[in-house]
Amino acid sequence: MEILIILFPLIAFLLIGLFGRRLGDLPSAIITVLGSTLSFIFSIPALLKALNSPFSVKLYDFISLGSYTLTLGLYFDPLSAITTSLVCLISTLIFIYSIGYMENLFGQWTYKFYAYLSLFLFSMLLIVLSDNLLGMFFGWEGVGLASYLLIGYFHQQKYATNSAFEAFVMNRIGDWLFLFGIFSIFYLFGSLNLLEIFSKVKEIDPNLLGLAVLLLFGGAVGKSGQVPLHTWLPNAMAGPTPVSALLHSSTMVAAGVYMGARLYPVFESAPQSLKVVALIGGITALFASLAATSHTDIKKIIAFSTMSQLGLMFLALGIGDMSSAMFHLTTHAFFKALLFLSAGSIIHAFHHHARDIYEVGGLRKHMPITYATFFVGALALAGIFPFAGFWSKDLIIASSYEASFGLGVFVSFVSFLTAYYIFREGFVMFYGPERHKEHFEEEPHEAPSVMLVPMVVLAIGSAVVGFFEGWYMSALKDHKEMHLNIAISSVVIALLGIGLAYLVFVKRVLDPEKLYQSLKPVHTTFKEQFFTERLYHKILAGGYMLYSKVLYTTFERQFIDGIVNGSYVVSSALGSLFKGLQQGRVNLYILFLLVGFSLLVLITFLGGR
């Protein structure tokens, strides 16, 4: 029965893909929701069973590699079973929301959108549940394909196609590293089965294992948008908002962190490589937080927040606290999906035209439920008690202080920035003057019920899921104690960030315009992501294009084309010369005969002399 968990989304994808045009858009949406709902329902008994005793489900023998036969199957333990239920639940809520969000596009082949969503869910479940690395890689590539299709869904817009292409290229770089990591693991262990790998991990040379871990982590860097393969993630906001919520909450970008946790027995046996994981995670957490403080795009601010929080999760993995990383991934799925859906509610209110936080303002009167849900998500992200982020982030902060005082201060500073930028966005959009009157003709209105209900459910989850910390740690065979001093200081630091945003953007004690003018170089540096995007787009991609163009105009056009065109001229001339032989004109044949006979006589005469 457990196999049905991954089969329902696959069946939904095939049904919609084959018959969606006849079924129509709304029935396709319902099939997508039905597929994810059934997966969630079937994941609950599997979760209860896995909590008592992990178990495997064999699917079939895939391929024989010498004496080794690769068997594909599913593996249910507390980590995979909890993550499966989480993925199915969050996906179901987002799919329901998408019915209202995409309604204005019904009748324009929107069934394809729902087919892609089902493919996305199936691929993510394959990553989570596969009992071997090859199955995980199939899912890895599946989410890559689905994300490419979904990010570029509005393919008539150049920005969307460019974003999809960028996501595709960046992920391919990571995927190659991941693939070489899988080859390395097979070379070292002689197996791709997870349980067999874990049982042999102590027998492997740590140096070779460290290299394999770094290659695997390279795949996670690409998939989770970590520095230096990060630029695709904020640009992926070109896709519809439900796609953004799905990518950033429980599926694609979470896959990298999950892979690290799934293979953690391998990762922790290469401690030098774990330092690299922590370093990349820490750099990304700070990098993305600073970028978020300056951006004004409604969804990009939340996207940078995802990069930053994933960085904290990798940091936790790197310092040896896998369970805290995964618990933060779990709580983060609720409030990050909530923030994106709330942002989508605002975009929907202005018929998908509002993109910048400074295009709107004073929305709390017009959209009270969206206002409440957004700030529930913001409080959870900022780590305010008792919301979900408080419990999970507190664990990472405590582990960081245990690793070193400096690292603890670093994570606290990132938490301060997090509270500041997310409340900056909320205060600008929901307080102050109603700037939308200057930009749009539409009057803002609350979203329909089909969008509000998932938002309210996620808000409830963002408020209460943190209380399951003890249960979660017990399921992962770990135990954590709350450090009261760190918990209090974390809340105070978050309140300082919120207070600063409130003083600047609500009370305007400090004029934001004057602050911007005085800090313009710093603001530009942060907003340009320390100019990394320009570096990639202008110098690397632009340089490659220039190099290709020079090669085309010189080597190909002059040399290659010169040889080809020259051979054509020579062949044409020779053809013209000898074509008389093939024309069937008797007078020419007689002429050639006379010339030939004359030459023969001449040669004979000259030879005789």
Side-chain angles (χ1 to χ4, degrees):
M1 294 294 286
E2 289 82 7
I3 191 176
L4 292 174
I5 297 171
I6 64 168
L7 282 185
F8 284 127
L10 179 61
I11 293 169
F13 165 67
L14 294 174
L15 272 177
I16 300 169
L18 293 173
F19 306 108
R21 192 170 182 179
R22 295 181 181 177
L23 291 170
D25 295 330
L26 182 58
S28 298
I30 293 171
I31 290 172
T32 299
V33 173
L34 194 61
S36 60
T37 304
L38 289 172
S39 291
F40 174 66
I41 292 171
F42 276 75
S43 72
I44 300 301
L47 168 61
L48 297 175
K49 188 177 172 183
L51 290 176
N52 290 325
S53 177
F55 62 97
S56 298
V57 178
K58 180 180 174 181
L59 298 181
Y60 62 98
D61 294 334
F62 180 65
I63 191 170
S64 294
L65 300 169
S67 59
Y68 174 71
T69 300
L70 177 61
T71 302
L72 295 185
L74 309 178
Y75 179 59
F76 289 83
D77 68 348
L79 178 66
S80 63
I82 293 173
T83 308
T84 297
S85 297
L86 173 75
V87 168
C88 294
L89 174 61
I90 300 294
S91 299
T92 300
L93 293 171
I94 293 172
F95 292 173
I96 294 171
Y97 174 96
S98 70
I99 295 175
Y101 190 86
M102 301 295 287
E103 187 180 8
N104 66 315
L105 297 176
F106 281 2
Q108 302 178 35
W109 295 12
T110 312
Y111 68 87
K112 292 186 294 183
F113 175 79
Y114 293 102
Y116 301 157
L117 289 182
S118 295
L119 174 63
F120 206 125
L121 177 58
F122 163 72
S123 302
M124 186 63 196
L125 290 175
L126 200 57
I127 293 175
V128 174
L129 288 173
S130 284
D131 68 350
N132 65 87
L133 287 176
L134 189 63
M136 186 180 284
F137 184 74
F138 287 158
W140 199 267
E141 291 303 301
V143 294
L145 171 63
S147 67
Y148 170 75
L149 296 170
L150 286 168
I151 293 169
Y153 183 73
F154 297 128
H155 54 83
Q156 301 90 343
Q157 302 171 10
K158 190 177 180 182
Y159 174 56
T161 54
N162 287 345
S163 300
F165 183 67
E166 183 179 13
F168 186 82
V169 171
M170 285 291 187
N171 275 278
R172 292 294 75 73
I173 296 172
D175 290 354
W176 273 108
L177 295 172
F178 186 49
L179 189 60
F180 284 120
I182 293 174
F183 290 154
S184 304
I185 290 291
F186 185 73
Y187 173 76
L188 294 174
F189 292 88
S191 173
L192 293 177
N193 183 276
L194 296 178
L195 295 181
E196 291 178 10
I197 291 170
F198 297 160
S199 66
K200 298 178 183 175
V201 72
K202 298 298 180 187
E203 304 168 8
I204 306 300
D205 182 344
N207 294 322
L208 293 176
L209 192 62
L211 179 61
V213 166
L214 288 178
L215 290 170
L216 293 171
F217 178 62
V221 168
K223 196 63 75 183
S224 295
Q226 300 291 287
V227 174
L229 302 177
H230 61 282
T231 54
W232 72 268
L233 196 147
N235 291 334
M237 298 301 101
T241 299
V243 174
S244 306
L246 197 62
L247 257 69
H248 288 245
S249 57
S250 59
T251 55
M252 178 148 169
V253 299
V257 177
Y258 176 80
M259 186 268 284
R262 178 74 285 174
L263 299 175
Y264 201 67
V266 179
F267 274 60
E268 68 177 349
S269 296
Q272 296 303 320
S273 301
L274 277 184
K275 292 178 182 176
V276 177
V277 176
L279 180 65
I280 295 294
I283 290 173
T284 305
L286 180 62
F287 175 95
S289 294
L290 293 173
T293 59
S294 303
H295 261 274
T296 58
D297 186 287
I298 293 174
K299 290 201 295 181
K300 274 192 176 181
I301 296 171
I302 307 174
F304 280 115
S305 168
T306 301
M307 280 176 59
S308 179
Q309 299 304 304
L310 291 172
L312 291 181
M313 295 174 208
F314 279 116
L315 177 64
L317 285 174
I319 59 177
D321 193 359
M322 183 274 282
S323 52
S324 296
M326 283 306 297
F327 186 57
H328 193 48
L329 186 142
T330 304
T331 61
H332 177 265
F334 283 90
F335 55 76
K336 188 50 56 73
L338 175 61
L339 286 169
F340 268 115
L341 297 192
S342 301
S345 177
I346 295 171
I347 295 170
H348 178 268
F350 293 100
H351 300 281
H352 304 262
H353 294 140
R355 294 289 174 190
D356 193 290
I357 59 174
Y358 285 103
E359 292 176 346
V360 297
L363 294 179
R364 69 184 190 280
K365 292 183 296 184
H366 304 281
M367 308 176 70
I369 298 176
T370 302
Y371 165 71
T373 55
F374 182 90
F375 276 98
V376 167
L379 288 166
L381 175 61
I384 299 297
F385 178 84
F387 297 94
F390 164 79
W391 304 91
S392 54
K393 198 185 293 182
D394 179 72
L395 294 175
I396 295 177
I397 294 174
S399 296
S400 301
Y401 274 107
E402 287 174 4
S404 77
F405 180 75
L407 189 60
V409 172
F410 173 81
V411 176
S412 296
F413 179 62
V414 171
S415 300
F416 168 80
L417 294 174
T418 303
Y420 168 76
Y421 66 67
I422 196 63
F423 273 84
R424 164 182 172 261
E425 179 175 14
F427 289 146
V428 171
M429 292 193 300
F430 291 101
Y431 288 81
E434 298 185 355
R435 289 178 291 271
H436 52 266
K437 293 180 178 176
E438 304 167 11
H439 299 279
F440 310 108
E441 295 180 357
E442 303 94 339
E443 276 297 310
H445 56 85
E446 195 58 275
S449 300
V450 72
M451 295 170 64
L452 290 179
V453 170
M455 290 162 58
V456 172
V457 173
L458 286 169
I460 295 170
S462 300
V464 304
V465 75
F467 291 102
F468 290 88
E469 176 199 330
W471 174 84
Y472 190 91
M473 292 300 160
S474 174
L476 295 190
K477 310 295 183 195
D478 199 353
H479 175 71
K480 299 288 183 184
E481 290 185 359
M482 175 175 285
H483 300 266
L484 190 61
N485 55 338
I486 291 178
I488 293 173
S489 62
S490 300
V491 173
V492 170
I493 289 169
L495 289 174
L496 288 174
I498 296 170
L500 178 61
Y502 182 76
L503 290 174
V504 174
F505 297 102
V506 179
K507 289 298 182 183
R508 300 180 75 84
V509 174
L510 299 172
D511 189 342
E513 288 300 321
K514 290 182 179 176
L515 277 176
Y516 166 72
Q517 291 299 332
S518 60
L519 298 173
K520 192 173 181 180
V522 178
H523 178 276
T524 304
T525 303
F526 291 169
K527 190 171 184 178
E528 293 287 340
Q529 305 174 51
F530 295 86
F531 302 100
T532 51
E533 191 172 17
R534 289 196 183 193
L535 172 70
Y536 293 173
H537 289 186
K538 301 293 183 184
I539 297 180
L540 294 183
Y544 180 75
M545 290 299 293
L546 179 63
Y547 169 73
S548 303
K549 194 173 290 183
V550 169
L551 275 184
Y552 171 73
T553 54
T554 56
F555 184 75
E556 183 171 335
R557 293 298 300 274
Q558 302 300 324
F559 183 70
I560 302 293
D561 288 2
I563 292 175
V564 173
N565 294 336
S567 63
Y568 160 76
V569 171
V570 172
S571 301
S572 179
L574 289 174
S576 299
L577 181 64
F578 293 110
K579 68 181 180 182
L581 296 173
Q582 305 290 330
Q583 289 181 337
R585 297 172 63 180
V586 177
N587 55 341
L588 282 179
Y589 293 163
I590 293 172
L591 176 63
F592 292 150
L593 185 64
L594 287 174
V595 171
F597 182 75
S598 302
L599 286 174
L600 186 63
V601 170
L602 182 61
I603 292 169
T604 305
F605 175 74
L606 292 176
R609 289 182 66 185

